[in-house]
Amino acid sequence: MPNLPISQLPELTAITTNAEYAVAQNGVTYRVKNGNIHPNGLWGSFVSLQSQYVASTTTAYSMTAETQTSGNGVIVSSDTRFVVASAGTYNLQFSSQVESTGGGNAQTMDIWLAINGTNVDYSNTQIVGNSNNGRSVAAWNFVEPMNAGDYFELKFKVSDTRLGFAYDPANINPTRPSIPSVIVTVTQV
Protein backbone atom coordinates (compact mmCIF):
# COMPACT_ATOMS: atom_id res chain seq x y z
CA MET A 1 0.00 0.00 0.00
CA PRO A 2 1.44 3.40 -0.87
CA ASN A 3 2.26 5.75 1.99
CA LEU A 4 -0.75 8.07 1.69
CA PRO A 5 -2.10 10.63 4.14
CA ILE A 6 -5.16 9.29 5.97
CA SER A 7 -7.38 11.75 4.10
CA GLN A 8 -6.44 10.07 0.80
CA LEU A 9 -7.06 6.47 1.87
CA PRO A 10 -10.07 4.71 0.31
CA GLU A 11 -13.27 4.72 2.39
CA LEU A 12 -14.25 1.48 4.13
CA THR A 13 -17.62 0.23 2.89
CA ALA A 14 -17.70 -3.35 4.22
CA ILE A 15 -15.97 -5.32 6.96
CA THR A 16 -14.54 -8.78 6.31
CA THR A 17 -13.42 -11.23 8.97
CA ASN A 18 -9.70 -11.04 8.17
CA ALA A 19 -9.48 -7.33 7.32
CA GLU A 20 -6.87 -4.89 8.60
CA TYR A 21 -7.37 -1.13 8.83
CA ALA A 22 -5.25 1.97 9.17
CA VAL A 23 -6.33 4.08 12.13
CA ALA A 24 -4.82 7.49 12.88
CA GLN A 25 -4.63 8.80 16.41
CA ASN A 26 -2.60 11.78 17.64
CA GLY A 27 -0.58 11.92 14.42
CA VAL A 28 0.36 8.22 14.46
CA THR A 29 -1.12 5.67 12.04
CA TYR A 30 -1.76 2.17 13.42
CA ARG A 31 -2.64 -1.11 11.72
CA VAL A 32 -5.73 -2.59 13.42
CA LYS A 33 -7.03 -6.10 12.81
CA ASN A 34 -10.81 -6.59 12.54
CA GLY A 35 -10.90 -8.65 15.77
CA ASN A 36 -9.73 -5.58 17.74
CA ILE A 37 -12.52 -3.29 16.53
CA HIS A 38 -15.37 -3.05 19.01
CA PRO A 39 -18.04 -0.59 17.84
CA ASN A 40 -20.35 0.59 20.60
CA GLY A 41 -18.27 -1.37 23.08
CA LEU A 42 -18.46 0.84 26.17
CA TRP A 43 -20.63 -0.30 29.07
CA GLY A 44 -20.81 -0.51 32.83
CA SER A 45 -22.94 -2.24 35.45
CA PHE A 46 -23.28 -0.92 39.00
CA VAL A 47 -25.18 -1.73 42.21
CA SER A 48 -25.74 -0.24 45.64
CA LEU A 49 -25.26 -2.56 48.60
CA GLN A 50 -26.76 -0.14 51.12
CA SER A 51 -30.21 1.20 51.87
CA GLN A 52 -30.67 4.84 50.92
CA TYR A 53 -32.86 7.14 53.00
CA VAL A 54 -32.51 10.91 53.17
CA ALA A 55 -32.84 13.61 55.84
CA SER A 56 -34.80 16.29 53.98
CA THR A 57 -37.88 16.59 51.78
CA THR A 58 -36.63 19.83 50.18
CA THR A 59 -33.26 18.63 48.88
CA ALA A 60 -32.40 16.84 45.63
CA TYR A 61 -30.21 13.78 46.24
CA SER A 62 -28.28 11.48 43.90
CA MET A 63 -28.84 7.73 43.91
CA THR A 64 -25.71 5.83 44.83
CA ALA A 65 -24.50 2.71 43.04
CA GLU A 66 -21.03 2.49 44.54
CA THR A 67 -20.10 -1.03 43.44
CA GLN A 68 -19.11 -1.68 39.80
CA THR A 69 -19.87 -5.30 38.90
CA SER A 70 -18.43 -5.16 35.37
CA GLY A 71 -17.63 -2.70 32.63
CA ASN A 72 -15.52 -1.36 29.82
CA GLY A 73 -15.07 2.41 29.50
CA VAL A 74 -17.80 3.46 31.96
CA ILE A 75 -16.94 3.99 35.65
CA VAL A 76 -18.63 5.31 38.78
CA SER A 77 -17.11 8.36 40.49
CA SER A 78 -18.07 9.65 43.96
CA ASP A 79 -20.54 6.71 44.18
CA THR A 80 -23.14 8.66 42.14
CA ARG A 81 -21.59 9.81 38.84
CA PHE A 82 -21.53 7.39 35.92
CA VAL A 83 -18.67 8.64 33.72
CA VAL A 84 -18.21 7.68 30.05
CA ALA A 85 -14.71 7.48 28.54
CA SER A 86 -15.69 8.21 24.93
CA ALA A 87 -18.19 10.36 23.08
CA GLY A 88 -21.31 8.63 21.81
CA THR A 89 -24.95 7.94 22.52
CA TYR A 90 -25.63 6.00 25.72
CA ASN A 91 -28.57 4.14 27.22
CA LEU A 92 -28.72 4.50 31.01
CA GLN A 93 -31.08 2.05 32.68
CA PHE A 94 -31.84 1.69 36.34
CA SER A 95 -34.07 -0.15 38.76
CA SER A 96 -34.53 0.68 42.41
CA GLN A 97 -36.33 -1.07 45.24
CA VAL A 98 -38.49 1.72 46.66
CA GLU A 99 -39.58 1.20 50.25
CA SER A 100 -41.77 3.09 52.70
CA THR A 101 -40.85 2.44 56.32
CA GLY A 102 -44.14 3.83 57.64
CA GLY A 103 -46.73 6.52 57.40
CA GLY A 104 -50.39 6.85 56.65
CA ASN A 105 -50.55 9.29 53.78
CA ALA A 106 -49.47 8.88 50.17
CA GLN A 107 -45.73 9.45 49.79
CA THR A 108 -44.22 10.62 46.51
CA MET A 109 -40.78 10.39 45.01
CA ASP A 110 -39.56 12.35 41.98
CA ILE A 111 -36.75 10.73 39.96
CA TRP A 112 -34.95 12.52 37.12
CA LEU A 113 -31.74 12.56 35.11
CA ALA A 114 -28.87 15.05 35.35
CA ILE A 115 -25.86 15.26 33.04
CA ASN A 116 -22.72 16.98 34.32
CA GLY A 117 -24.74 18.36 37.24
CA THR A 118 -27.48 19.90 35.07
CA ASN A 119 -31.03 18.55 35.16
CA VAL A 120 -32.20 17.10 31.82
CA ASP A 121 -35.45 18.67 30.61
CA TYR A 122 -38.54 16.41 30.59
CA SER A 123 -36.79 13.58 32.47
CA ASN A 124 -38.69 13.75 35.79
CA THR A 125 -41.21 11.10 36.79
CA GLN A 126 -43.14 11.06 40.05
CA ILE A 127 -44.12 7.79 41.70
CA VAL A 128 -46.37 7.19 44.70
CA GLY A 129 -44.93 5.00 47.45
CA ASN A 130 -46.97 2.58 49.45
CA SER A 131 -47.40 4.33 52.79
CA ASN A 132 -48.01 1.13 54.75
CA ASN A 133 -44.49 -0.33 54.91
CA GLY A 134 -44.66 -1.49 51.31
CA ARG A 135 -42.17 -1.93 48.48
CA SER A 136 -42.29 -1.32 44.74
CA VAL A 137 -39.81 -1.05 41.89
CA ALA A 138 -39.01 2.09 39.93
CA ALA A 139 -37.26 1.23 36.67
CA TRP A 140 -36.80 3.04 33.37
CA ASN A 141 -34.15 4.22 30.97
CA PHE A 142 -32.78 7.31 29.26
CA VAL A 143 -30.92 7.60 25.93
CA GLU A 144 -28.63 10.63 25.68
CA PRO A 145 -25.64 11.85 23.63
CA MET A 146 -22.51 12.25 25.76
CA ASN A 147 -19.00 13.65 25.29
CA ALA A 148 -15.88 11.94 26.62
CA GLY A 149 -15.68 12.56 30.38
CA ASP A 150 -19.38 13.47 30.76
CA TYR A 151 -21.33 11.89 33.59
CA PHE A 152 -24.90 10.84 34.34
CA GLU A 153 -26.54 11.19 37.75
CA LEU A 154 -29.91 9.83 38.85
CA LYS A 155 -31.50 12.46 41.09
CA PHE A 156 -34.44 12.06 43.46
CA LYS A 157 -36.56 13.97 45.95
CA VAL A 158 -39.04 12.55 48.47
CA SER A 159 -42.15 14.00 50.10
CA ASP A 160 -41.54 11.93 53.27
CA THR A 161 -38.15 10.88 54.66
CA ARG A 162 -39.53 7.39 55.38
CA LEU A 163 -39.52 6.76 51.61
CA GLY A 164 -36.21 5.52 50.16
CA PHE A 165 -34.37 2.61 48.54
CA ALA A 166 -34.04 -0.70 50.40
CA TYR A 167 -31.13 -3.18 50.27
CA ASP A 168 -31.60 -6.81 51.35
CA PRO A 169 -28.68 -9.25 51.84
CA ALA A 170 -28.60 -12.72 50.31
CA ASN A 171 -31.09 -15.14 51.83
CA ILE A 172 -31.73 -18.87 52.26
CA ASN A 173 -34.61 -21.37 51.97
CA PRO A 174 -34.20 -21.23 49.03
CA THR A 175 -30.78 -19.68 48.51
CA ARG A 176 -31.12 -16.43 46.57
CA PRO A 177 -28.92 -13.41 45.85
CA SER A 178 -29.04 -10.08 47.61
CA ILE A 179 -31.38 -7.33 46.41
CA PRO A 180 -29.44 -4.15 45.63
CA SER A 181 -31.23 -0.93 46.54
CA VAL A 182 -30.26 0.46 43.11
CA ILE A 183 -29.02 -1.23 39.91
CA VAL A 184 -27.61 0.93 37.09
CA THR A 185 -26.38 -0.11 33.65
CA VAL A 186 -24.89 2.20 31.03
CA THR A 187 -24.38 0.95 27.46
CA GLN A 188 -23.19 2.74 24.36
CA VAL A 189 -25.70 2.39 21.51
Side-chain angles (χ1 to χ4, degrees), residues 108-112 124-127 155-159:
T108 60
M109 177 183 287
D110 288 67
I111 300 173
W112 66 95
N124 190 19
T125 299
Q126 187 176 83
I127 60 172
K155 308 294 277 186
F156 72 100
K157 178 248 182 240
V158 296
S159 67

Side-chain angles (χ1 to χ4, degrees), residues 147-161:
N147 294 311
D150 283 354
Y151 65 90
F152 291 106
E153 282 184 290
L154 292 165
K155 308 294 277 186
F156 72 100
K157 178 248 182 240
V158 296
S159 67
D160 188 313
T161 58

Side-chain angles (χ1 to χ4, degrees), residues 94-149:
F94 79 94
S95 67
S96 57
Q97 183 168 242
V98 179
E99 177 183 54
S100 171
T101 60
N105 298 320
Q107 300 164 333
T108 60
M109 177 183 287
D110 288 67
I111 300 173
W112 66 95
L113 180 66
I115 297 176
N116 298 328
T118 301
N119 295 337
V120 174
D121 287 341
Y122 315 112
S123 67
N124 190 19
T125 299
Q126 187 176 83
I127 60 172
V128 177
N130 182 336
S131 62
N132 295 315
N133 296 320
R135 289 185 174 181
S136 60
V137 173
W140 50 87
N141 69 295
F142 303 97
V143 176
E144 294 289 335
M146 303 288 281
N147 294 311

Side-chain angles (χ1 to χ4, degrees), residues 35-182:
N36 293 322
I37 297 176
H38 303 284
N40 303 330
L42 302 186
W43 54 277
S45 182
F46 312 89
V47 297
S48 179
L49 304 178
Q50 60 189 359
S51 292
Q52 300 178 46
Y53 294 89
V54 297
S56 172
T57 61
T58 59
T59 301
Y61 294 91
S62 295
M63 290 185 200
T64 64
E66 70 286 347
T67 302
Q68 183 161 1
T69 59
S70 60
N72 174 38
V74 181
I75 63 166
V76 63
S77 173
S78 303
D79 296 342
T80 64
R81 296 176 176 182
F82 306 97
V83 184
V84 300
S86 296
T89 300
Y90 290 83
N91 183 3
L92 177 137
Q93 300 178 40
F94 79 94
S95 67
S96 57
Q97 183 168 242
V98 179
E99 177 183 54
S100 171
T101 60
N105 298 320
Q107 300 164 333
T108 60
M109 177 183 287
D110 288 67
I111 300 173
W112 66 95
L113 180 66
I115 297 176
N116 298 328
T118 301
N119 295 337
V120 174
D121 287 341
Y122 315 112
S123 67
N124 190 19
T125 299
Q126 187 176 83
I127 60 172
V128 177
N130 182 336
S131 62
N132 295 315
N133 296 320
R135 289 185 174 181
S136 60
V137 173
W140 50 87
N141 69 295
F142 303 97
V143 176
E144 294 289 335
M146 303 288 281
N147 294 311
D150 283 354
Y151 65 90
F152 291 106
E153 282 184 290
L154 292 165
K155 308 294 277 186
F156 72 100
K157 178 248 182 240
V158 296
S159 67
D160 188 313
T161 58
R162 294 172 291 185
L163 189 62
F165 305 113
Y167 165 77
D168 285 326
N171 218 322
I172 58 171
N173 295 328
T175 301
R176 53 200 184 273
S178 62
I179 302 171
S181 59
V182 174

